Amino acid sequence: MNGFRLRRRPFLAVLAGLAATTGASPVSAQSRPTIGIIGAGNVGTTLGGLWVQAGYHVMVSSRTLSDAQAVATSLGPLASAGTPAQAAAFGSIVVLAVPYRALPQLGRELGHALAGKIIIDPSNPYPFRDGSIANAARIDGAGATTQRYFPSSRVVRAFNSIDMTALRASAHRSGALLAVPLAGNDKDAVAETAALISAAGFDPVVTGGLDTARLFQPGSDGFELERDAAGLKQALHLPN
């Protein structure tokens, strides 16, 4: 799950149509946090599209600017494209939609620019792909490991436990919304991330501090668990 490249044009076309029909006005968009997304693959495109649809200004970035520009054009007028450094500067909230192995390099290159900012980390550590950092994340927890590379940022783990295909299919569904777990040490960062989860069409379930992100990282009972809020809390033994 959470790969860089999946066929995304039909999804982007649908989002563009929805944004044209239901998108918020420029005035309402200006009152919301800006979102910088580092990575223009499946994760960045999916989350960026859902937030553009909800009226947020989003900047997507990629190692190749032309890729980011193609995605931004498809998402609509509230989306723009830039380099990773530009996305880091643009967003009051920044999403690390990259393979987990990229975090050490991003920490070295962008850690200063991201100081004090909210970082949403939806990436998952897989030893077969990411090597030693994935092993460290499995021992220490993905939340604590990500925070180690961005010590001055407010890290929140979210959007990593459910496949992007399932998220796209379930956003704003009728009845009980799909629950998305999140974990973080900073209460304000958690609250702002929860608001973005709600805006994207899901029900946020806070599991606790970053150490509790273990509950929904790969190898845990909460990973790839698709439930409503009550069902997720029961499965993870969280208080109602």
Side-chain angles (χ1 to χ4, degrees), residues 157 161 179-184 190 203-217 220-223 225 227-240:
R157 287 279 291 172
S161 66
V180 171
L182 67 155
V190 168
D203 200 352
V205 172
V206 179
T207 60
L210 270 179
D211 60 314
T212 66
R214 293 174 179 272
L215 295 174
F216 53 92
Q217 72 180 46
S220 70
D221 291 339
F223 187 63
L225 192 63
R227 300 285 191 275
D228 62 13
L232 182 62
K233 289 177 180 178
Q234 182 179 28
L236 298 183
H237 307 289
L238 300 174
N240 290 320

Side-chain angles (χ1 to χ4, degrees), residues 34-52:
T34 53
I35 304 171
I37 301 179
I38 299 175
N42 189 34
V43 176
T45 299
T46 298
L47 297 179
L50 291 170
W51 288 323
V52 165

Side-chain angles (χ1 to χ4, degrees), residues 19-114:
T21 304
T22 65
S25 68
V27 173
S28 63
Q30 287 173 0
S31 66
R32 305 178 185 199
T34 53
I35 304 171
I37 301 179
I38 299 175
N42 189 34
V43 176
T45 299
T46 298
L47 297 179
L50 291 170
W51 288 323
V52 165
Q53 178 188 337
Y56 289 83
H57 284 288
V58 172
M59 178 181 284
V60 294
S61 66
S62 178
R63 289 171 296 184
T64 304
L65 184 57
S66 60
D67 290 344
Q69 289 170 333
V71 171
T73 298
S74 299
L75 292 181
L78 292 183
S80 59
T83 65
Q86 288 170 330
F90 172 84
S92 58
I93 298 175
V94 177
V95 182
L96 303 181
V98 296
Y100 204 81
R101 66 177 180 271
L103 297 189
Q105 181 177 349
L106 287 178
R108 291 190 297 270
E109 294 177 351
L110 301 178
H112 182 73
L114 295 175

